[in-house]
Amino acid sequence: MATLSDPTVTPVLGDNKAAASPFIKCLVRLIRAQDSYGSWKEKCDTDLLACFTVPEEKRRAIPIIGDPDPDVLWRLDVFYRAVGIAIEERSGLLISRTMEINHHGGFGRVLFTTRRLVVLSKTLRDVHRFGFSTLRKLAKTGAKLVNDAARVIEAYPDVARA
Amino acid sequence: MATLSDPTVTPVLGDNKAAASPFIKCLVRLIRAQDSYGSWKEKCDTDLLACFTVPEEKRRAIPIIGDPDPDVLWRLDVFYRAVGIAIEERSGLLISRTMEINHHGGFGRVLFTTRRLVVLSKTLRDVHRFGFSTLRKLAKTGAKLVNDAARVIEAYPDVARA
């Protein structure tokens, strides 16, 4: 079992280092698992993750009315699945994810739980515009969520294993 | 604040008694709150709840392919909102509900949490066929969920108030 007291976040300095972080590795693994026809085999990890990065001005231009783009919903799903798996790897506990999205409003909530403990709860806003300005920011956001969850598991060890 | 150690379930013997249970009162209040035009004003509570009862053979005949009927989804939502409100009334705590439904598969999960505590977690199956054979059964199911949650809150008082 992984220990919870791992040195907090791998310092993410550039895109190369970001791509090597445990969270990003989870994310890449999940994306590659969906490549049933091997069409992304030749692509490197950074290329695969490119769809997660959206320049700020482009992101702000995405309309927030109507249903969000299915590709955005796919990315949102994969991102938060990777968060769940990274928490599992870090804690050795089984984590359940429950995500509720109001498509029209573009808001919702995602909860990560283990047994009786809420290890992470996040309000989702601007679902239509889900994306990160850089790969580094993607890695940092994921790592922060995983760290927050690990801290909660450490604070309530009995409830997490109840 | 209501005490958690209320005598477990009000014994539900007939439809009249069922209609008087705290859970059913919550449910009726929620339904009446949606009656913006007063069109259900003349209806008695039992009439309002009639849509929740589906005879067993009729229920089994509902196809479970395609998207569930919007009316069924509305009832599912109101039922589980009533569960949340009844838990709040009983415990004096603020309860959040997170519900994830896979429309095509007709399954999902509903979680009730307060702070760091999962007070109730329920797997949803056969969403297309959501309904109860009798009003009594509706009352009993709701009361059981509320009781289960109250028991968890009693078992983890610190986490519920963390």
Side-chain angles (χ1 to χ4, degrees):
Chain A
M1 198 187 93
T3 61
L4 286 175
S5 46
D6 279 351
T8 43
V9 198
T10 326
V12 181
L13 295 166
D15 276 5
N16 278 343
K17 280 205 175 165
S21 77
F23 169 74
I24 291 292
K25 279 184 179 168
C26 274
L27 188 57
V28 168
R29 227 189 313 136
L30 272 179
I31 299 171
R32 293 217 182 266
Q34 298 202 9
D35 183 23
S36 326
Y37 301 103
S39 31
W40 301 335
K41 231 174 160 181
E42 309 290 308
K43 282 194 179 186
C44 72
D45 293 356
T46 319
D47 285 349
L48 276 186
L49 295 167
C51 62
F52 284 89
T53 55
V54 188
E56 194 53 32
E57 59 273 35
K58 209 176 145 191
R59 209 178 69 85
R60 264 194 233 140
I62 300 171
I64 54 165
I65 47 161
D67 280 347
D69 188 71
D71 286 350
V72 168
L73 291 176
W74 178 82
R75 289 198 287 273
L76 190 79
D77 176 58
V78 178
F79 175 81
Y80 282 107
R81 274 202 289 142
V83 170
I85 291 175
I87 301 171
E88 286 192 337
E89 279 187 359
R90 177 90 169 264
S91 64
L93 298 169
L94 197 70
I95 303 291
S96 299
R97 187 196 75 173
T98 310
M99 189 154 80
E100 180 175 330
I101 300 170
N102 178 312
H103 283 203
H104 301 286
F107 57 83
R109 188 182 4 228
V110 56
L111 277 185
F112 294 87
T113 57
T114 186
R115 304 263 182 157
R116 287 281 161 213
L117 186 66
V118 179
V119 300
L120 186 68
S121 161
K122 198 156 170 11
T123 303
L124 306 172
R125 275 183 241 272
D126 283 351
V127 163
H128 296 75
R129 293 176 177 171
F130 178 73
F132 301 89
S133 47
T134 59
L135 183 56
R136 194 185 145 184
K137 198 141 188 214
L138 164 67
K140 234 179 144 174
T141 309
K144 194 194 170 297
L145 293 172
V146 176
N147 285 332
D148 288 351
R151 227 168 286 133
V152 172
I153 294 170
E154 267 188 344
Y156 300 95
D158 303 341
V159 191
R161 290 165 182 87
Chain B
M1 198 187 95
T3 60
L4 286 175
S5 46
D6 279 350
T8 43
V9 198
T10 327
V12 181
L13 294 167
D15 276 6
N16 279 343
K17 279 203 177 169
S21 77
F23 169 74
I24 291 291
K25 279 184 178 167
C26 276
L27 187 58
V28 168
R29 226 190 311 136
L30 273 178
I31 299 170
R32 293 217 181 265
Q34 298 202 9
D35 183 24
S36 327
Y37 301 103
S39 31
W40 300 336
K41 229 174 160 181
E42 309 291 308
K43 280 193 180 188
C44 70
D45 292 357
T46 320
D47 284 349
L48 277 186
L49 296 168
C51 62
F52 283 88
T53 55
V54 187
E56 195 52 33
E57 59 272 35
K58 210 176 146 191
R59 209 178 69 86
R60 265 194 233 142
I62 300 170
I64 53 165
I65 47 162
D67 281 349
D69 188 72
D71 287 349
V72 167
L73 292 175
W74 178 82
R75 288 198 288 271
L76 191 78
D77 176 58
V78 178
F79 175 81
Y80 282 108
R81 275 204 286 141
V83 169
I85 291 175
I87 300 172
E88 286 192 337
E89 280 188 359
R90 178 89 169 261
S91 64
L93 299 168
L94 198 69
I95 303 290
S96 299
R97 187 196 74 172
T98 310
M99 189 154 81
E100 179 176 333
I101 301 171
N102 177 311
H103 282 204
H104 300 288
F107 57 83
R109 187 177 11 223
V110 57
L111 277 185
F112 295 87
T113 57
T114 186
R115 304 262 181 161
R116 287 279 163 215
L117 186 66
V118 178
V119 300
L120 185 67
S121 161
K122 197 152 171 14
T123 304
L124 305 173
R125 274 183 241 274
D126 283 352
V127 163
H128 296 76
R129 292 176 179 170
F130 178 73
F132 300 88
S133 48
T134 59
L135 182 57
R136 195 185 145 183
K137 200 144 186 210
L138 164 68
K140 235 178 145 173
T141 308
K144 194 192 170 301
L145 294 172
V146 176
N147 284 332
D148 288 352
R151 228 169 284 135
V152 171
I153 295 170
E154 267 188 346
Y156 299 96
D158 303 342
V159 191
R161 289 165 183 88

